[in-house]
Amino acid sequence: NDPFAWNDSSQTTLNIPNFPAVTLPWTEDFESFTLCGSGSDCGVTICALNNGLTNLENGTEDDIDWRTWEGNTPSNNTGPSDDYLPGTATGNYLYLEASGSCNQQEALLLTRCIDLTNAINPELTFGYHLYGAGMGSLHVDVYAGGSWTNDIFVASGNLGNQWNLAQVLLGTYTGQVLTLRFRGI
C-alpha cells in the first residue's frame, strides 16, 4: 500500500536436494528409515526421511509430515498392519496420522530428481493403503520442464483394509529429469 510500487518485493522458498539424480530402475522400501513419533499432534511431529526423500516444512510449506512406521497404525480401524513389501509387521511404510484435530491437513513429500533421459517406457509403481472411515486422498504430482503437473494419480476414500498397487505411466516425461510429489490429505 505504499506509493512506490516499483520497489515491492516477494519471497519464496526453494528446496534443492543435495542428492544426485537417480536413474532407472530406482526403488525405495523405507527399511533404512528411522521410525517416527505416532502421537496425534499434527504438525508438531517432525519426521526426517532418508535417501533423498523430503518432508516439506510444517506450518510453512504443508501442515503435517509423512511418518515412518511398522505394524499397526496407532489409530484403531485405520491403516495397515504390515508393510507392502515384504508384507511383514516389522517392515516399514510411510503413513499420515489424521487422528484428533489433524483432519484435512496436507502432507507433501518430494522425491529426489529422477533422470528419465534414457528411459524406455518409464513407470511409477507403488503400494498404497487407504483404510478408515474418514479417509482422505492421495495425489501424485510431477515437476518437469519448470512446472508442476498435478494429479497424475489420485485415490481417495476408504478402499478397505488391503494394499493396492498403483502403476502410473511416465512416458510423457521420457528424456527429462523430474521430481515426484506425494500429496496426502
Side-chain angles (χ1 to χ4, degrees):
N1 292 327
D2 67 34
F4 306 105
W6 60 87
N7 70 355
D8 290 347
S9 60
S10 176
Q11 180 177 331
T12 188
T13 301
L14 178 63
N15 292 304
I16 301 173
N18 192 19
F19 289 92
V22 294
T23 56
L24 301 182
W26 176 56
T27 61
E28 179 56 67
D29 63 9
F30 314 116
E31 297 305 316
S32 66
F33 290 32
T34 302
L35 298 183
C36 193
S38 63
S40 50
D41 55 9
C42 303
V44 174
T45 295
I46 307 296
C47 298
L49 302 177
N50 294 347
N51 303 332
L53 297 180
T54 305
N55 269 320
L56 296 190
E57 186 178 346
N58 296 343
T60 304
E61 299 170 290
D62 68 1
D63 303 310
I64 60 176
D65 275 357
W66 289 89
R67 300 175 184 203
T68 305
W69 198 247
E70 64 183 23
N72 291 316
T73 55
S75 305
N76 291 330
N77 299 313
T78 67
S81 57
D82 51 20
D83 71 339
Y84 180 67
L85 285 175
T88 65
T90 57
N92 291 352
Y93 59 87
L94 301 184
Y95 85 104
L96 298 177
E97 182 56 54
S99 297
S101 61
C102 300
N103 250 337
Q104 296 300 313
Q105 301 293 300
E106 183 177 54
L108 301 176
L109 179 149
L110 296 180
T111 67
R112 61 200 292 181
C113 294
I114 303 168
D115 187 351
L116 301 183
T117 302
N118 298 313
I120 299 171
N121 300 320
E123 178 179 275
L124 167 65
T125 304
F126 63 96
Y128 64 99
H129 195 284
L130 298 174
Y131 172 53
M135 188 53 52
S137 57
L138 172 63
H139 306 255
V140 179
D141 309 324
V142 173
Y143 184 81
S147 65
W148 284 102
T149 300
N150 290 340
D151 297 331
I152 64 164
F153 173 85
V154 178
S156 63
N158 184 356
L159 301 181
N161 191 7
Q162 82 261 338
W163 284 98
N164 301 284
L165 180 67
Q167 294 177 290
V168 183
L169 300 178
L170 298 174
T172 304
Y173 304 100
T174 298
Q176 299 181 55
V177 176
L178 59 83
T179 299
L180 298 171
R181 176 174 62 193
F182 288 80
R183 285 187 295 130
I185 302 171

